[in-house]
Amino acid sequence: MPKTYTPISTVKIDNSSTTTLDFTSIPQTYTDLVLVCSYGLTAGDLYLRINNDTANYSDTELYGNGTAANSTRLSNRSGYYLSDQGITKPGPATVSTVHFNNYSNTTTYKNVLWRSDDVGVSTEAHIGLWRSTAAITSINCIIINVSGVITPGSQFTLYGIKAA
Amino acid sequence: MAYTYSKIATYTVGSGGVGTINFINIPQTYTDLKLVVSGRTNNAANYDYLTIKFNASTSGYSSKLLYGTGAGASSTAAASDITFGALNGDNATANTFANAEYYIPNYTRNSYKAINQDGVEESSATSTVFAFLTSGLWANTDPINSITLSMAFGTLFKQYTTAHLYGIKAEI
């Protein structure tokens, strides 16, 4: 097995008051990043931002809720919805896997690909664009829309993938 | 550099086929599991569906599927089974196998288990094959120590079907 898939940082939620989490000082030595999230929220939606930027996001989503398939387009946003159903989640019942490809380059806008499954609610696939040429040095997750917390037992791990 | 992405076991189906594929005594030392299946069954159609069960449990499963057929997209829900993985049937183009990837985070945790699956069936035939994105739940708090794969319609996994189980360790 090649030594190419390396955990950079893990955040485990052990208390019942966490509303934000940040991965900061991300090493610029990998090719791509993968963020694996297993989480629940007591209310609201989990929003993802890059380098604490509050603008320049757009994404196209394909999703199914068990009865119909749909696609939506969101542009000029202040972040990405990791899961966007806005319901109370009883436990770590959402799985999101987010890919940041070629994250350290300083010449192109960044593509972000992610899959999110809200158990009992929907399954989703997203392609996003962050309109910035800056290298990704931090990833920030916050709860928006209504006050809620990230439920204990949730876990977030950022991996670095080296193509060399 | 840490070894974080380790193969736990590989199952390769031999001549004659098998009805189920089992991974037992799964180590409880990883953070997440990833299961990668390349599969084909003896179902007399282009497709079959891969079924996954944990710890030999027959209850507590549910799922929501988003799928495309090449002509349209739809979504459906299953309240009692995790029959949501991609498998080729025996009428698919010869020598083609479906691909299914399951990601199972925090499989040792004492809470319900959320699972996602991405899968595609492969065939050059014009009749229907599927691409799946799936959200699954096993409503059971037991740590996962075994995985059983079977199928919805056929009776045998065909020769050269493979299943690889990986452990992913998040610890630095």
Side-chain angles (χ1 to χ4, degrees):
Chain A
M1 180 67 61
K3 302 175 187 177
T4 61
Y5 204 104
T6 304
I8 296 171
S9 181
T10 292
V11 177
K12 296 179 180 178
I13 306 300
D14 296 322
N15 60 60
S16 56
S17 60
T18 302
T19 59
T20 67
L21 60 94
D22 298 297
F23 294 94
T24 60
S25 302
I26 295 171
Q28 300 297 296
T29 52
Y30 299 98
T31 310
D32 306 322
L33 299 173
V34 176
L35 178 62
V36 177
C37 316
S38 170
Y39 61 97
L41 310 175
T42 58
D45 303 309
L46 195 63
Y47 220 42
L48 184 147
R49 289 182 174 135
I50 298 169
N51 293 1
N52 279 311
D53 188 10
T54 57
N56 302 311
Y57 302 90
S58 59
D59 83 274
T60 302
E61 173 190 12
L62 176 66
Y63 66 95
N65 59 11
T67 57
N70 281 292
S71 182
T72 58
R73 171 74 180 163
L74 301 173
S75 58
N76 296 315
R77 309 293 290 189
S78 61
Y80 294 129
Y81 286 105
L82 272 191
S83 60
D84 59 1
Q85 300 303 314
I87 67 158
T88 299
K89 298 173 176 62
T94 298
V95 182
S96 297
T97 305
V98 191
H99 296 258
F100 305 87
N101 297 337
N102 200 8
Y103 71 103
S104 63
N105 90 80
T106 56
T107 56
T108 69
Y109 292 174
K110 307 300 183 296
N111 289 116
V112 183
L113 296 161
W114 72 99
R115 281 271 286 112
S116 278
D117 288 340
D118 287 346
V119 166
V121 180
S122 68
T123 183
E124 307 164 10
H126 299 251
I127 171 68
L129 178 69
W130 180 48
R131 295 190 309 279
S132 173
T133 59
I136 296 174
T137 57
S138 71
I139 296 169
N140 329 102
C141 297
I142 61 171
I143 294 178
I144 63 165
N145 291 334
V146 296
S147 59
V149 298
I150 302 171
T151 55
S154 298
Q155 182 163 322
F156 301 75
T157 301
L158 182 66
Y159 296 91
I161 297 176
K162 190 170 285 188
Chain B
M1 185 177 295
Y3 285 93
T4 60
Y5 203 107
S6 303
K7 188 175 80 171
I8 296 172
T10 288
Y11 194 107
T12 301
V13 176
S15 61
V18 296
T20 60
I21 294 173
N22 296 294
F23 294 97
I24 61 174
N25 298 324
I26 296 172
Q28 302 294 295
T29 52
Y30 297 98
T31 309
D32 303 336
L33 296 176
K34 185 172 185 176
L35 178 64
V36 180
V37 180
S38 172
R40 183 181 178 107
T41 77
N42 63 351
N43 184 44
N46 282 331
Y47 61 90
D48 204 332
Y49 299 133
L50 184 62
T51 297
I52 188 168
K53 286 187 168 59
F54 303 109
N55 298 0
S57 174
T58 57
S59 62
Y61 301 99
S62 60
S63 61
K64 291 187 183 294
L65 285 71
L66 171 64
Y67 64 92
T69 61
S74 190
S75 182
T76 187
S80 60
D81 205 357
I82 298 191
T83 306
F84 58 50
L87 273 178
N88 270 22
D90 214 17
N91 291 353
T93 305
N95 301 315
T96 60
F97 289 73
N99 292 286
E101 288 193 1
Y102 293 87
Y103 199 89
I104 309 165
N106 290 331
Y107 69 104
T108 63
R109 185 177 57 202
N110 295 316
S111 61
Y112 289 2
K113 309 300 182 301
I115 305 111
N116 70 20
Q117 187 270 164
D118 294 355
V120 290
E121 296 160 351
E122 302 287 350
S123 180
S124 61
T126 55
S127 50
T128 301
V129 291
F130 297 95
F132 293 112
L133 302 177
T134 317
S135 165
L137 174 70
W138 183 42
N140 192 304
T141 59
D142 292 341
I144 293 172
N145 53 48
S146 72
I147 295 174
T148 302
L149 300 174
S150 58
M151 67 215 75
F153 302 123
T155 57
L156 291 173
F157 288 108
K158 300 279 285 189
Q159 186 180 17
Y160 307 122
T161 292
T162 59
H164 306 283
L165 182 64
Y166 298 93
I168 297 174
K169 189 172 285 188
E171 306 300 330
I172 298 173

